[in-house]
Amino acid sequence: MKRLIIATLCLAAGIGTSTAQDYKVKVQETDEQMERGRFEPTWQSLAEYDVPEWFRDAKFGIWAHWGPQCVEASGDWMARKLYQEGSYQYNYHVEHYGHPSEFGFKDVLPLFKAERWQPDSLVAYYKKIGAKYFFALGNHHDNYDLWDSKYQPWNSKNIGPKRDILDGWARAARENGLPFGISLHADHAWTWYEPAQRYDRSGKKMGVPYDGTLTKADGKGKWWEGYDPQDLYAQNHELSRGSWADGMIHQQWAWGEGASLPSQKFVTNFYNRTLDAINRYDPDLLYFDATVMPFYPISDAGLRIAAHFYNHNAKERKGRLSAVMFGKILDEKQREAITWDVERGAPSEIVAQPWQTCTCLGDWHYNTRTYERGSYKSAALVVRQLVDVVSKNGNLLLSVPLRADGTYDEKEKAILDELGEWMATNGESIYGTRPCAVFGEGPVAEKGVALKAQGFNDRQYRDMDSREIRFNQTKKYLYATPMAWPKDGRLTIRSLATGNKLATKKISSVYLLGYGRLKAVQTAEGLSVELPAATNRIAPVLRIKK
């Protein structure tokens, strides 16, 4: 019956069910075969997917968004921006490493050594501070694979650390009993690296091409002899429309607005690499920095990856499906098939399907300027976002930037320690909870903050105070969390006024986690409580007996 209903909805919404038509670039399965099973590479079939309960209970994960772009410690997208004349990353690279016509990103790769990286202790620490799943970067838009890749010679086993990074992370996650996730971003290397085809428009190197169009033959006598730079840069193609305008890529992220059409070879290579990673490391979670899914709607690659991932995951677990696959900017029908990821933000309402927000303590790749300025998110900001997201049926995935050597800095450590202390006391109000009839109250809750593209509205958490309260629940308890301690110690929760949606029964007790029972008075104006002196530096949590 569910299949019939889904089919009807898909047809009504115009969602195709064919596996082999209407795609400009179709995957070739000569090397990697899609796992056959319950799911087929169609929206109709994938809509039968249900998010596993373990993910709904987990609520909080940590992500090591870490790779060779951390070498120069100049921030995210440095492998693109070093080819953008006049940018901070370009100027820094030229001053410290050389001009991109002579020393490009390919030459940065051997400098990525990961010499102090200890995955076991890192993942154990993340678990200690409250993470219930762990994510590792498999590749970024820089197109470098962080494993012993069969289909990408520019990888961490061959160049740089000379280690299989994903294998180390996967083993550490399993040993610590955490579900393991892999994020894969290289599907956009095709357009993302286009500035590598440029040249300086002024100065001594004016008109000298950058290294983005070098070929294998150019490597004779160089350290990279035998490697083809086009396997990394993928720039043997015409530029996208308006490519010299640095911001144009954001308009073309969904493979429209004049984006250069990727070749079948490029799409199939990404497909092969992704299936290789799934088959080797058997992840529970798979993340793509893509609108909907990789190469959608110009290719069937994303649909085939999703079907393979779900079928492989269930096969390895004797029919029990634990898989979660993420995509961005999904409509309601697409959220039936894969899980919605919101980058650096949250919707302003409870979402029916479980979802996730991904955010970072600082920049996505390690940035020395973030460290020097002290501009990391505070533990209080992380908690506010976590509590807000959970109240709306979501999970929070927090990236902790690592330096190129595989370590975090002491400022990050202090933030994570404080976060861990709060979670140790108040975690029962997070893990295993579900949304209430109302997610919260307060100026921000009542106003709402709109999403921008794939998210980007998490500045809202900087302005929240004790008037902003979020709710969630278990079968036994209701939890109310103000986003800060009230200065006068007095708190009135309007949503718990007698007769309101959250107060269908008289409240019998109010308990402050980490402290004890509180005196409380419930009236037509709300539930009024007097709090003791702050027991932590972040926020109180009230456990209310229904």
Side-chain angles (χ1 to χ4, degrees), residues 237-480:
H237 65 82
E238 294 293 324
L239 293 174
S240 300
R241 179 177 58 81
S243 179
W244 279 75
D246 292 337
M248 183 62 75
I249 191 172
H250 300 294
Q251 297 181 35
Q252 299 170 339
W253 205 252
W255 299 102
E257 302 296 328
S260 176
L261 188 70
S263 67
Q264 186 178 59
K265 178 181 177 182
F266 180 80
V267 170
T268 298
N269 178 260
F270 179 81
Y271 173 82
N272 287 338
R273 289 154 69 186
T274 301
L275 265 60
D276 179 38
I278 293 170
N279 295 341
R280 289 191 192 209
Y281 309 109
D282 190 28
D284 301 283
L285 309 104
L286 204 58
Y287 171 106
F288 297 103
D289 191 2
T291 302
V292 185
M293 55 176 60
F295 303 110
Y296 187 80
I298 63 171
S299 175
D300 58 347
L303 291 167
R304 289 186 175 277
I305 288 169
H308 176 86
F309 178 44
Y310 291 165
N311 289 334
H312 177 274
N313 182 274
K315 179 181 177 181
E316 292 297 310
R317 290 155 185 78
K318 297 180 172 29
R320 180 182 60 85
L321 184 64
S322 72
V324 186
M325 175 171 152
F326 299 97
K328 298 182 178 181
I329 314 183
L330 307 179
D331 63 30
E332 291 186 9
K333 296 294 186 294
Q334 291 162 347
R335 293 177 205 171
E336 295 285 337
I338 59 177
T339 301
W340 185 29
D341 180 84
V342 178
E343 183 174 348
R344 291 188 183 271
S348 295
E349 60 188 0
I350 297 172
V351 179
Q353 293 290 336
W355 60 281
Q356 174 183 268
T357 187
C358 59
T359 193
C360 187
L361 281 184
D363 212 346
W364 286 116
H365 281 101
Y366 193 84
N367 192 333
T368 302
R369 291 178 297 169
T370 303
Y371 169 80
E372 292 172 344
R373 295 168 181 168
S375 52
Y376 289 124
K377 280 185 173 70
S378 66
L381 277 174
V382 175
V383 167
R384 288 176 193 170
Q385 186 161 14
L386 173 64
V387 170
D388 178 65
V389 165
V390 169
S391 75
K392 298 168 181 173
N393 203 29
N395 289 21
L396 173 66
L397 177 63
L398 178 68
S399 173
V400 178
L402 296 177
R403 294 174 286 208
D405 66 2
T407 62
Y408 46 73
D409 62 53
E410 79 282 357
K411 292 180 180 180
E412 293 175 288
K413 175 69 159 54
I415 295 166
L416 294 175
D417 283 347
E418 186 177 2
L419 173 62
E421 291 173 7
W422 189 90
M423 294 289 279
T425 300
N426 300 289
E428 70 169 79
S429 69
I430 301 295
Y431 307 121
T433 61
R434 297 292 184 267
C436 299
V438 176
F439 76 84
E441 66 179 57
V444 176
E446 292 157 15
K447 177 183 177 182
V449 181
L451 295 172
K452 301 174 184 178
Q454 63 262 44
F456 301 113
N457 68 352
D458 63 358
R459 288 189 64 84
Q460 63 183 291
Y461 302 110
R462 299 182 183 276
D463 301 325
M464 292 182 177
D465 55 30
S466 61
R467 295 173 298 168
E468 207 70 43
I469 303 171
R470 296 294 180 266
F471 308 109
N472 53 340
Q473 64 183 335
T474 60
K475 291 182 179 180
K476 189 174 182 180
Y477 297 114
L478 169 72
Y479 294 94

Side-chain angles (χ1 to χ4, degrees), residues 426 465-469 480-493 510-521 527-536 538-544:
N426 300 289
D465 55 30
S466 61
R467 295 173 298 168
E468 207 70 43
I469 303 171
T481 306
M483 295 301 193
W485 290 84
K487 293 180 179 179
D488 60 3
R490 296 177 181 177
L491 183 70
T492 298
I493 306 174
V510 178
Y511 188 92
L512 175 64
L513 297 185
Y515 177 82
R517 188 162 180 164
L518 301 177
K519 291 182 179 180
V521 177
L527 179 70
S528 297
V529 297
E530 289 195 14
L531 297 169
T535 58
N536 62 64
I538 297 178
V541 179
L542 303 181
R543 185 177 71 198
I544 300 167

Side-chain angles (χ1 to χ4, degrees), residues 101-228:
S101 64
E102 302 163 349
F103 196 104
F105 188 68
K106 71 181 187 313
D107 303 291
V108 173
L109 298 178
L111 306 179
F112 177 53
K113 300 293 188 183
E115 62 269 27
R116 298 175 62 193
W117 176 56
Q118 297 181 342
D120 293 342
S121 60
L122 284 169
V123 176
Y125 174 61
Y126 298 150
K127 180 179 180 179
K128 179 182 177 182
I129 64 172
K132 297 297 185 182
Y133 55 101
F134 173 76
F135 253 100
L137 187 70
N139 53 43
H140 197 249
H141 311 313
D142 59 26
N143 214 22
Y144 171 87
D145 283 353
L146 286 148
W147 76 93
D148 185 14
S149 179
K150 290 169 62 177
Y151 302 102
Q152 173 55 295
W154 298 85
N155 67 64
S156 64
K157 185 69 172 178
N158 292 340
I159 301 169
K162 302 295 179 70
R163 300 173 68 177
D164 187 323
I165 299 296
L166 276 189
D167 181 67
W169 283 129
R171 290 177 185 274
R174 305 301 186 208
E175 288 172 5
N176 284 279
L178 295 183
F180 178 58
I182 302 173
S183 70
L184 298 157
H185 312 237
D187 52 313
H188 274 94
W190 184 267
T191 52
W192 191 81
Y193 262 135
E194 284 186 3
Q197 295 192 47
R198 298 180 187 176
Y199 47 80
D200 284 3
R201 288 176 283 182
S202 62
K204 295 179 180 179
K205 297 284 187 179
M206 182 173 61
V208 179
Y210 300 154
D211 72 335
T213 57
L214 292 177
T215 66
K216 188 175 182 178
D218 295 316
K220 188 173 182 180
K222 307 283 180 42
W223 76 262
W224 47 275
E225 184 172 359
Y227 289 93
D228 186 349

